[in-house]
């Protein structure tokens, strides 16, 4: 393996230096707790009796004696998410595996899990981002009983994995493994699905044809197969050493999936104090693991949501990263995967072509990942260049493929799809934001056009329906940040702007909202910070202003003289109250009021790194 890339080394050293105080404080908290095992030893007899009252006599005896570990299972199972429905049977698999290997496991608690695919474009989507915080707190509640020596976290989708990880990191002294459920089998091709969505947007097909297409794409249990936030989560958990190697993209309800689930229980027992190979999650998630996560995101064209989530996750472990770190790494990390929406293939094709093992092997050889990390599989990321197989019904890891089996989907470091990661920091007089250009054709990466200002995605759709958008323009959609309405994803804009671009118009999007991993071929500058409701300069833009987007150079600007710009008033939302009531939004008002800027993860947990309020950041 080559020496670390100089930029990788530079960014890592900067993150370590920047995080010295906060990371040290975090590790001290872990060390303070490490001498108190088994955790349930601190419980009184009444506490302990409550804790094992529902268990069978053999399990009660193991917990009473206190010499063998007890695993806490935290699950996001529900039937609303196809990706999470397989988790229904996982606790029994885990309990059996633990029992057969001398330990016990208890279902510690469930966490909420909402589906962005269901709530897109509806009021419920305004709860989505802050469901991450709710999940983190629910994870803490599940583990707060102090009964456990290790934990297994069962989650896949958008805010669920970041929330579980933020919560688990507050119990950083516990060995913890993340247990995936796997993707659904491939259905209707992503290209055909996108085509029918655009046809529906222009009235060429009706709702019946659209529903038939969507049902053919999302057709069974498992993760949606496009490379959005859910599958980006799974990629990051692998590269950050929190999964068993190559566990992410194995289909649910298969013998290999069940074997991996059982093995997660066996392995986490081995990582406990009692078994002598103590590996707490707070030591696995360190500065180098976070940097590895950024690299994997860039190398695969992963979800832009992780320019929020990775920052929030890192801060939960006392590590401070920002968009400059993403941007500098993106300049040297090549794009090695083409998965929809960045290509035609889905994650099943990616897995078949060589998957995560091939990707990690190539990035390690190029010095673009840190190998000297602690993982749940052992010391060193080289463990993740192997793949699981069932050989004579026994789970075994073998070396991954050394050549891609489909270079239209996955390539080696010597022949990347493009020389950089496709994520850019955009900055100028409108603030700071990010753009993902891995799916944007080079001829669309520079747009100079007049602004049309909107305060909602519904207003964009209405203007399109009235025939007012058949021209060159940049849609400025403001008051979509975390403080304003919870920062919902704006996927209703994707087919509309895609249709206009296909008709030959030069169009783009600038917003303080989110577009996630499903953002596609239209240039979209998102997460603009500060957001409009925090008096961000996006609130100064007026319809007709000439805007400049240069994604190659990272420029986001407005053609206006500085004196006029400085004297411009900051607009205020006209219908803010509408985003504060209904569908449970009232309950999330405290989150909206406390949300940090997007570049700080849009999180309400600033106190984790000693911050008091967003205004002080």
């Amino acid at each position: 393996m080559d020496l670390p890339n100089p930029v990788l080394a530079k960014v890592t050293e900067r993150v370590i230096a920047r995080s010295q105080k906060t990371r040290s404080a975090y590790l001290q908290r872990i060390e303070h707790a490490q001498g108190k095992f088994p955790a349930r030893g601190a419980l009184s007899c009444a506490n302990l009796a409550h804790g094992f009252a529902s268990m069978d006599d053999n399990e009660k005896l193991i917990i009473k004696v206190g010499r063998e570990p007890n695993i806490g299972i935290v699950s996001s199972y529900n039937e609303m998410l196809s990706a999470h429905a397989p988790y229904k049977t996982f606790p029994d698999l885990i309990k059996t595996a633990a029992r057969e290997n001398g330990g016990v496991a208890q279902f510690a608690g469930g966490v909420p899990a909402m589906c962005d695919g269901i709530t897109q474009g509806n009021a419920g989507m305004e709860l989505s981002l802050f469901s991450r915080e709710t999940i983190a707190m629910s994870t803490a509640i599940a583990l707060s009983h102090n009964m456990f020596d290790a934990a297994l976290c069962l989650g896949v989708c958008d805010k669920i994995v970041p929330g579980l990880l933020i919560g688990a990191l507050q119990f950083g002294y516990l060995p913890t493994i993340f247990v995936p459920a796997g993707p659904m089998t491939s259905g209707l091709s992503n290209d055909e699905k996108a085509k029918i969505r655009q046809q529906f947007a222009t009235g060429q097909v009706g709702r019946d044809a659209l529903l038939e297409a969507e049902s053919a794409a999302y057709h069974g249990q498992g993760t949606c197969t496009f490379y959005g936030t859910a599958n980006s989560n799974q990629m990051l958990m692998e590269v950050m050493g929190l999964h068993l190697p190559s566990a992410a993209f194995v289909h649910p309800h298969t013998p290999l999936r069940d074997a991996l689930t059982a093995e997660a229980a066996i392995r986490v027992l081995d990582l406990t104090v009692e078994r002598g190979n103590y590996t707490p999650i707070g030591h696995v998630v360190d500065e180098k693991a976070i940097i590895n996560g950024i690299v994997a995101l860039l190398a695969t064209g992963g979800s832009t949501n992780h320019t929020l989530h990775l920052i929030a996750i890192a801060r939960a472990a006392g590590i401070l990263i920002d968009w400059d770190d993403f941007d500098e790494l993106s300049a040297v990390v090549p794009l090695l995967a083409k998965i929809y929406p960045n290509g035609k293939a889905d994650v099943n094709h990616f897995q078949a072509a060589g998957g995560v093992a091939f990707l990690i092997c190539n990035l390690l050889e190029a010095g673009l990942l840190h190998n000297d990390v602690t993982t749940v599989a052992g010391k060193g990321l080289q463990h993740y260049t192997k793949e699981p197989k069932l050989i004579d019904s026994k789970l075994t890891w073998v070396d991954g493929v050394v050549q891609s089996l489909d270079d239209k989907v996955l390539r080696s470091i010597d022949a990347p799809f493009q020389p950089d990661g496709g994520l850019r920091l955009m900055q100028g007089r409108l603030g700071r934001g990010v753009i993902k250009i891995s799916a944007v054709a080079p001829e669309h990466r520079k747009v100079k056009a007049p602004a049309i200002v909107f305060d909602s995605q519904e207003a964009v759709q209405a203007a399109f329906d009235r025939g007012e958008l058949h021209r060159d323009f940049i849609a400025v959609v403001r008051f979509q940040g975390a403080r304003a309405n919870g920062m919902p994803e704006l996927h209703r804009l994707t087919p509309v702007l895609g249709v206009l671009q296909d008709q030959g118009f030069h169009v783009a999007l600038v917003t303080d909202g989110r577009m996630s991993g499903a953002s596609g071929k239209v240039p979209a500058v998102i997460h603009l910070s500060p957001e409009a409701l925090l008096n961000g300069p996006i609130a100064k833009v007026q319809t007709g202003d000439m805007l400049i987007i240069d994604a190659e150079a990272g420029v986001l600007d407005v053609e206006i003289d500085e004196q006029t710009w400085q004297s411009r008033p900051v607009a205020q939302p006209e219908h803010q109250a509408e985003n504060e009531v209904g569908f449970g939004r009232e309950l999330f008002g405290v989150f909206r009021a406390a949300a940090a800027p997007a570049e700080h993860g849009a999180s309400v947990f600033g106190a984790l790194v000693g911050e008091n309020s967003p205004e002080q950041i």
Side-chain angles (χ1 to χ4, degrees), residues 382-433:
Q382 76 276 355
H383 290 284
Y384 290 78
T385 63
K386 297 182 179 295
E387 296 180 333
K389 303 286 184 184
L390 282 177
I391 301 175
D392 295 330
S393 300
K394 181 180 179 182
L395 184 62
T396 306
W397 270 267
V398 301
D399 290 337
V401 298
V402 296
Q403 289 186 327
S404 171
L405 301 181
D406 187 346
D407 63 8
K408 294 179 181 178
V409 180
L410 183 61
R411 291 188 180 178
S412 70
I413 200 74
D414 298 323
F417 290 102
Q418 62 187 49
D420 57 40
L423 187 73
R424 294 283 188 279
L425 169 63
M426 302 290 287
Q427 53 190 330
R429 281 189 286 184
L430 298 189
R432 283 164 64 93

Side-chain angles (χ1 to χ4, degrees), residues 234 241 597:
Q234 303 311 296

Side-chain angles (χ1 to χ4, degrees), residues 556-575:
L556 174 65
D557 212 343
V558 54
E559 277 194 350
I560 190 171
D561 69 86
E562 188 62 21
Q563 184 176 355
T564 302
W565 181 248
Q566 292 299 331
S567 63
R568 278 260 183 102
V570 176
Q572 298 300 314
E574 295 182 5
H575 307 290

Side-chain angles (χ1 to χ4, degrees), residues 174-188:
L174 289 179
T176 303
I177 294 178
F178 276 65
V179 183
M184 70 176 70
T185 56
S186 299
L188 182 72

Side-chain angles (χ1 to χ4, degrees), residues 184-430:
M184 70 176 70
T185 56
S186 299
L188 182 72
S189 74
N190 291 303
D191 269 3
E192 186 64 22
K193 177 183 68 178
K195 177 184 176 182
I196 293 173
R197 284 179 175 178
Q198 288 195 1
Q199 289 175 339
F200 178 76
T202 56
Q204 297 176 59
V205 301
R207 183 180 174 87
D208 56 343
L210 178 64
L211 182 57
E212 187 66 26
E214 298 289 358
S215 299
Y218 307 116
H219 60 88
Q221 291 195 3
T223 319
C224 304
T225 59
F226 70 89
Y227 195 49
T229 311
N231 286 314
S232 296
N233 282 339
Q234 303 311 296
M235 182 72 68
L236 297 191
M237 293 304 97
E238 298 252 331
V239 180
M240 290 170 65
L242 291 166
H243 275 175
L244 295 180
S246 292
F249 302 124
V250 175
H251 292 306
H253 308 305
T254 61
L256 181 56
R257 175 85 279 155
D258 289 349
L260 286 165
T261 300
E263 185 63 25
I266 297 167
R267 181 60 186 167
V268 85
L269 289 173
D270 290 340
L271 300 181
T272 60
V273 168
E274 291 87 347
R275 299 291 173 92
N277 190 27
Y278 179 52
T279 308
I281 188 175
H283 290 177
V284 173
V285 181
D286 64 5
E287 296 91 340
K288 290 183 177 180
I290 292 291
I291 294 296
N292 282 350
I294 296 175
V295 170
L297 187 76
L298 297 168
T300 56
S303 170
T304 52
N305 270 329
H306 277 293
T307 62
L308 304 176
H309 296 324
L310 262 175
I311 290 172
I313 290 165
R315 288 179 166 232
I319 301 164
L320 304 178
I321 58 174
D322 60 28
W323 290 342
D324 289 315
D325 302 324
F326 284 82
D327 190 56
E328 288 186 38
L329 288 168
S330 183
V332 299
V333 174
L335 185 68
L336 301 184
K338 280 272 190 180
I339 320 170
Y340 187 84
N342 304 326
K344 295 185 177 182
D346 66 18
V347 294
N348 294 319
H349 299 119
F350 167 80
Q351 178 73 358
V356 183
F358 179 86
L359 178 83
I360 290 177
C361 182
N362 273 264
L363 291 170
L364 281 173
E365 288 180 359
L368 286 169
L369 286 173
H370 293 289
N371 187 47
D372 56 334
V373 291
T374 298
T375 79
V376 299
K379 296 289 186 181
L381 198 59
Q382 76 276 355
H383 290 284
Y384 290 78
T385 63
K386 297 182 179 295
E387 296 180 333
K389 303 286 184 184
L390 282 177
I391 301 175
D392 295 330
S393 300
K394 181 180 179 182
L395 184 62
T396 306
W397 270 267
V398 301
D399 290 337
V401 298
V402 296
Q403 289 186 327
S404 171
L405 301 181
D406 187 346
D407 63 8
K408 294 179 181 178
V409 180
L410 183 61
R411 291 188 180 178
S412 70
I413 200 74
D414 298 323
F417 290 102
Q418 62 187 49
D420 57 40
L423 187 73
R424 294 283 188 279
L425 169 63
M426 302 290 287
Q427 53 190 330
R429 281 189 286 184
L430 298 189

Side-chain angles (χ1 to χ4, degrees), residues 569-586:
V570 176
Q572 298 300 314
E574 295 182 5
H575 307 290
Q576 182 64 26
E578 294 178 6
N579 299 116
E580 296 175 354
V581 297
F583 279 86
R585 286 179 288 195
E586 300 91 335

